[in-house]
Amino acid sequence: MARAPVLAAGGIVLRQAEPPLIAVVRLRKRNEWVLPKGRLDDGETARDAAEREVLEETGHDVCVHEFLGTLVYESGGRSKIVHYWRMETSGEQAYELMDDVRAVDWLPLDAAVERLSRSYERAFLEHVGPLALAAAALSRVSRPARAKKQPAAEKRQRRQVVAPPAALPAPVSTPPQPDLRPLASGQDQRPLVDSDGVEVETSAATMAPEVVAPSAEEIEISAATIVSPVEETQSGDHAIAATTEVRRINLVQKVRQWLRRAA
């Protein structure tokens, strides 16, 4: 009667380095270098058994990833079926090794293949080792990079908001206001032109003649000129009265012209 096969589970355990390293363990009983693995306990799943056995034989906490394959071989007159998962560890050894393990070594893929004592494990690792390395590299690339925490002081500096400088008001040029005062009668309103034929800008001071108010003495003299001849006309001198009337008219015209210019 055929005996039932032995079920076991283990891992291709990687540690991040350049190049990545693979764990191989040295058994105390036969002094052989093998991949970390072990038998399933009653009611235990193959995946849980693989994680437990790797922790006991390497002393490292591991993270279990995808399934890599199954290795079947003859051992002690019985078939042995071993399922392997890709695993990774990033820390140092956390636990003591089990009694059956003498040492643990971390080697690059090619050196790990050469270190294994059993030919069927060398063939298996040579076949699935590159797949494990490629999967690990792909997972590191696709893993979102975590933002580094910034110091509190730097955060406060970045939160400070600098107010923009107040904009200075632009100077507004006031257009010159035209002189709306009426020109004196008889004044020429044509623009001034220099000797080269260029029009010269004229101001109110240039266009409007200066008006000087008569002094008090001038007004008194004018009044005397008006009044005194009138008194002489009362004596009957007709010629002097006519002359006085002409002077009065001339004086009235001058006063009117002065008032018109002052306006």
Side-chain angles (χ1 to χ4, degrees):
M1 182 178 179
R3 300 172 63 182
V6 177
L7 299 180
I12 307 299
V13 188
L14 305 179
R15 190 172 70 182
Q16 293 184 6
E18 190 57 41
L21 304 177
I22 298 176
V24 292
V25 297
R26 187 177 184 181
L27 299 178
R28 188 178 299 276
K29 184 177 181 179
R30 297 182 181 180
N31 199 26
E32 293 179 331
W33 288 95
V34 297
L35 294 173
K37 60 185 179 300
R39 295 184 180 184
L40 275 65
D41 291 338
D42 293 338
E44 189 178 30
T45 64
R47 188 183 184 280
D48 291 341
E51 184 176 3
R52 176 183 54 79
E53 287 289 341
V54 167
L55 185 148
E56 292 176 354
E57 294 191 358
T58 65
H60 285 73
D61 286 317
V62 293
C63 189
V64 182
H65 296 284
E66 68 274 4
F67 177 75
L68 291 177
T70 301
L71 177 61
V72 181
Y73 57 93
E74 292 291 330
S75 176
R78 300 177 64 181
S79 297
K80 193 169 186 177
I81 302 174
V82 187
H83 303 293
Y84 286 93
W85 278 262
R86 179 177 71 89
M87 303 182 186
E88 287 192 35
T89 181
S90 56
E92 298 296 329
Q93 182 175 334
Y95 308 97
E96 294 183 0
L97 303 179
M98 62 182 304
D99 295 338
D100 293 345
V101 176
R102 191 172 184 179
V104 179
D105 207 353
W106 297 87
L107 302 171
L109 175 60
D110 293 341
V113 171
E114 294 296 328
R115 179 69 63 86
L116 293 175
S117 302
R118 301 170 182 176
S119 60
Y120 50 82
E121 285 193 346
R122 287 199 299 269
F124 181 77
L125 182 59
E126 190 176 6
H127 177 70
V128 302
L131 301 178
L133 296 178
L138 183 61
S139 65
R140 285 193 294 268
V141 171
S142 60
R143 187 181 306 160
R146 296 181 180 178
K148 295 182 179 179
K149 293 184 179 180
Q150 300 175 355
E154 184 179 354
K155 288 184 179 180
R156 286 195 296 269
Q157 291 178 1
R158 292 196 175 185
R159 289 176 182 174
Q160 294 178 356
V161 179
V162 180
L168 298 177
V172 179
S173 58
T174 304
Q177 300 296 328
D179 189 3
L180 301 178
R181 294 181 296 177
L183 297 176
S185 60
Q187 185 176 354
D188 192 0
Q189 299 183 4
R190 293 176 299 174
L192 298 179
V193 181
D194 60 4
S195 60
D196 297 332
V198 179
E199 181 177 348
V200 180
E201 183 179 0
T202 58
S203 62
T206 306
M207 298 178 62
E210 182 179 2
V211 179
V212 180
S215 62
E217 296 179 356
E218 293 177 350
I219 294 176
E220 291 178 358
I221 294 173
S222 301
T225 306
I226 295 173
V227 175
S228 59
V230 174
E231 295 177 351
E232 293 179 359
T233 56
Q234 295 178 358
S235 63
D237 192 344
H238 181 73
I240 294 174
T243 304
T244 303
E245 185 68 18
V246 172
R247 290 179 179 177
R248 182 184 299 174
I249 294 172
N250 292 338
L251 181 59
V252 172
Q253 290 179 354
K254 289 181 179 181
V255 172
R256 288 178 179 175
Q257 292 178 358
W258 177 80
L259 293 175
R260 192 162 43 246
R261 292 176 183 176

